[in-house]
Amino acid sequence: MADIWSQRRATRYGRYDGGPDPLAPPVDLAEALDEIGEDVMAGYSPERALRELLRRGAGDREGLDDLARRVAERRRRLLAEHDLDGTLQEIRELLDTAVLEERKQLARDVAMDDGDRALREMQLDSLPPNPAAAVSALGSYDWQSTQAREAYEQIKDLLGRELLDQRFQGMKQALENATDEDRAAIDAMLSDLNELLEKRERGEDTQQDFDEFMAAHGQHFPEQPQDLDELLDAMAARAAAAQRMLASMSPEQRQQLMELSAQAFGSPQLMESLARLDSHLQALRPGEDWSGSEQMGGEGAQGVGLGDGTGVFQDLAELDALSEQLSQSYGGARMDDLDLDALARQLGDDAAVSAGELQQLERALRDSGTLQRGSDGALRLTPKAMRQLGRSLLRDVAQRMSGRQGQRDMDRAGAAGERSGATRAWAYGDTEPWDVTRTVTNAITRTVGEGGSPAAGVRLQVDDVEVQETEARTQAAVALLVDTSFSMAMDGRWVPMKRTALALHTLIRSRFRGDALQLVGFGRHAEVMEIEQLTALDARWEKGTNLHHALLLANRHFRKHPNAQPVLLVVTDGEPTSHLEAGGEVFFSYPPHPLTVAHAVRELDTSMRLGAQTTFFRLGEDPGLARFIEQMARRVDGRVVAPELDDLGAAVVGSYLGGRAGRGGGGAAPGSMGDWFGGRGSWVGD
């Protein structure tokens, strides 16, 4: 029973000790993909789009740039708030205390010979202003004051502890009021450590050598390294920071410390051991920064000792490493490179949580099949990501259409046709779904009419069955012609054009799979594009709007599908300024040449003869373009829509739905959204 109770006590909840928050909401991949897709359609590579998302952050999360600014601010504060004169200042204070106490004792001691008193006062008066020289000059002085002697000895003790604290963090406090035995133990540790490092340099060390060293001196290494490499990494980082601190001092400060170091613990042996140690560490870890320096101090700066100052320089080195990690500008950079423990030490747990969420976001985008690397090493949006992005854009279009038209969102997939609401008796060969309510009602009515009782059971007969009537769907051949001339990019229409194409592509591929969609981009010349190609297309800064070539490709598409209803959708912001010559060359002229217009009109007439239902989407307020588009639309009994950029996707999708059902036409007035829903409102809301 006691054992069970102890087990229950052992499983009590404790304080959360960091790491990813298990209660945090999952990362929103849909929102992240929307932002990445927007950047990709604006011309960014998927790699750059992902980096930009991580830099600015997603939602309310801090981004890499926010964290980098906090790192830079902390680094600036460390430099401004600390002065490297702390140890020298402490030595000056102890020296002043020793001299003052000695003068007091000389003045009080009435039994002292006047000549001896005068000699001692002269020695004190002639002390050099340099603290190092003064400490050296007093090395053989016969102190009369006990307090003065103790203060002077504290200088030697302080120097020894500070020098050790530079290499072994916490040694300054650990050796306070140390005995001779304690100092002897330190000497032994340094001697054994140097021997161990010499073995490493010769390649003769073993794990047993390290274990024996830690068994004898492990109390001086609270980090509890598991092998010599871990010990070397920790010690080399701190020793290099000590060297950078020394290099950051003024020449006078450096000289004084070098002279004072010989006084540490009253013996030069410590400095010899530390010099050997530094030499071994530099040889074994040459990659550390052993020669850097910083400009320290500012108004109100606080002096720090050698040990604390070395810690500041370690913090600076860690901040520099974090800055590089956050920049993600080096080859093969990944969010997993971020040292979350270092971020928590330098900026607090909130920064580590933010960075951890960004790591999860990047990992989720890669692991979910949203992003993948091609054979060339470049990051790409996967087909799955394109579908997700298209569905998101389609939802936006649905909201705009339902909001403007007052429609309710519906979710009907449809099968061979759209349900009309009527029913009829089943006939041999019918594939429409049964109307269960009407079928069961017919069976009950027949049973009662034959004198039977429904309570005894109802048996269905073929004559009872009714099916739901549907309206037949016709296949559509859709050609979406999008202007890719330089004016589209210059006037901010590039991304809305791509969003529109992707939304329409997603609608057809997901709901109207029987329809054949062809995307045609036309600038100086036209070309058929896959949706991935159009989505990733960079802005083209070439002049020319070759509507003639685009219509040629659209008519070829219509001829490939002779049994489908042709639907022609043209998105443009300019009159045609180029056409194809008989030999395939591109002819360009601005203002538009009459021959260019004639070629475009001829192909548009061909589209009309093929039965195409045509809608022009005019972008911009150019009067000449408006007149031209109106004339073209009237010629083929088409429609003109002049939407705002935000409404372009809704306008194109709505026109497709209306034209797809065969209800287009009528030459809607410019700016009218027309019969957007036609017979196809049922797709909205998926």
Side-chain angles (χ1 to χ4, degrees), residues 6-123:
S6 62
Q7 291 175 5
R8 288 179 177 175
R9 288 179 59 85
T11 57
R12 282 186 174 181
Y13 294 106
R15 179 182 176 88
Y16 178 59
D17 59 355
D21 186 355
L23 300 180
V27 293
D28 189 345
L29 288 183
E31 179 185 356
L33 181 59
D34 287 346
E35 294 190 43
I36 290 176
E38 195 78 14
D39 285 343
V40 169
M41 287 189 285
Y44 288 8
S45 68
E47 185 87 48
R48 183 181 174 190
L50 174 59
R51 293 299 166 209
E52 289 298 319
L53 173 65
L54 295 174
R55 291 176 72 85
R56 65 175 175 261
D60 296 332
R61 299 181 183 90
E62 283 187 297
L64 295 179
D65 284 347
D66 298 317
L67 295 173
R69 278 193 291 271
R70 292 177 61 184
V71 165
E73 175 59 23
R74 171 156 172 76
R75 193 182 196 283
R76 187 197 64 77
R77 288 200 309 269
L78 284 176
L79 292 174
E81 293 174 357
H82 296 94
D83 194 295
L84 303 181
D85 200 33
T87 297
L88 289 175
Q89 182 61 36
E90 199 168 352
I91 289 172
R92 292 189 194 98
E93 293 174 358
L94 288 172
L95 185 60
D96 290 343
T97 299
V99 172
L100 179 60
E101 291 299 326
E102 181 68 9
R103 290 186 185 277
K104 290 180 180 178
Q105 180 62 32
L106 294 178
R108 286 195 300 265
D109 192 350
V110 295
M112 180 179 291
D113 180 74
D114 290 341
D116 188 22
R117 180 185 291 106
L119 180 61
R120 292 177 181 278
E121 289 178 346
M122 184 176 65
Q123 286 181 274

Side-chain angles (χ1 to χ4, degrees), residues 33-34 37 41 381 385-393 502:
L33 181 59
D34 287 346
M41 287 189 285
L381 290 175
M386 295 296 295
R387 291 193 297 271
Q388 291 174 337
L389 184 58
R391 285 195 292 268
S392 176
L393 295 175
L502 183 53

Side-chain angles (χ1 to χ4, degrees), residues 660-674:
R660 169 63 180 75
R663 298 176 62 175
S672 168
M673 294 302 173

Side-chain angles (χ1 to χ4, degrees), residues 225-415:
Q226 299 303 304
D227 54 38
L228 184 55
D229 285 314
E230 286 188 15
L231 177 62
L232 277 171
D233 290 339
M235 293 197 61
R238 190 160 179 87
Q243 291 293 328
R244 293 195 300 274
M245 178 182 179
L246 191 65
S248 302
M249 294 179 177
S250 67
E252 294 78 10
Q253 290 174 324
R254 239 185 345 263
Q255 181 63 32
Q256 289 185 49
L257 281 175
M258 294 300 292
E259 294 175 3
L260 285 166
S261 298
Q263 306 292 326
F265 291 153
S267 168
Q269 182 178 349
L270 175 63
M271 281 305 297
E272 292 175 4
S273 297
L274 292 178
R276 285 177 60 200
L277 178 61
D278 288 346
S279 177
H280 294 318
L281 292 174
Q282 289 192 43
L284 293 169
R285 291 294 185 269
E288 294 286 346
D289 182 6
W290 295 93
S291 58
S293 63
E294 300 287 351
Q295 186 68 38
M296 304 286 289
E299 186 176 353
Q302 181 180 1
V304 290
L306 296 180
D308 292 340
T310 298
V312 170
F313 274 81
Q314 279 191 289
D315 286 341
L316 291 172
E318 193 166 67
L319 289 169
D320 288 340
L322 286 172
S323 181
E324 183 178 10
Q325 294 165 16
L326 291 168
S327 73
Q328 294 282 289
S329 58
Y330 49 91
R334 293 179 67 101
M335 287 297 298
D336 287 340
D337 298 340
L338 283 181
D339 188 338
L340 300 187
D341 291 336
L343 267 176
R345 282 193 298 270
Q346 299 298 335
L347 302 183
D349 291 338
D350 62 319
V353 169
S354 296
E357 290 176 345
L358 292 176
Q359 285 183 337
Q360 294 176 45
L361 177 61
E362 184 195 46
R363 198 176 300 120
L365 285 170
R366 296 180 189 273
D367 296 346
S368 66
T370 300
L371 298 169
Q372 68 180 14
R373 292 200 178 275
S375 57
D376 58 355
L379 204 62
R380 292 188 175 90
L381 290 175
T382 63
K384 176 183 177 181
M386 295 296 295
R387 291 193 297 271
Q388 291 174 337
L389 184 58
R391 285 195 292 268
S392 176
L393 295 175
L394 204 52
R395 282 194 296 270
D396 292 343
V397 169
Q399 291 172 0
R400 287 186 173 277
M401 293 177 66
S402 62
R404 288 182 176 273
Q405 299 293 326
Q407 301 289 333
R408 294 180 61 188
D409 289 352
M410 292 175 284
D411 185 11
R412 298 190 310 180

Side-chain angles (χ1 to χ4, degrees), residues 160-176 186 219-223 238 306-308 310-311 314:
R161 290 187 293 122
E162 287 279 18
L163 290 170
L164 286 170
D165 201 40
Q166 278 191 299
R167 278 75 172 182
F168 308 93
Q169 187 175 5
M171 195 69 79
K172 180 180 179 180
Q173 291 75 23
L175 289 179
E176 193 170 8
I186 293 296
Q219 70 273 19
H220 301 302
F221 303 93
E223 305 90 351
R238 190 160 179 87
L306 296 180
D308 292 340
T310 298
Q314 279 191 289

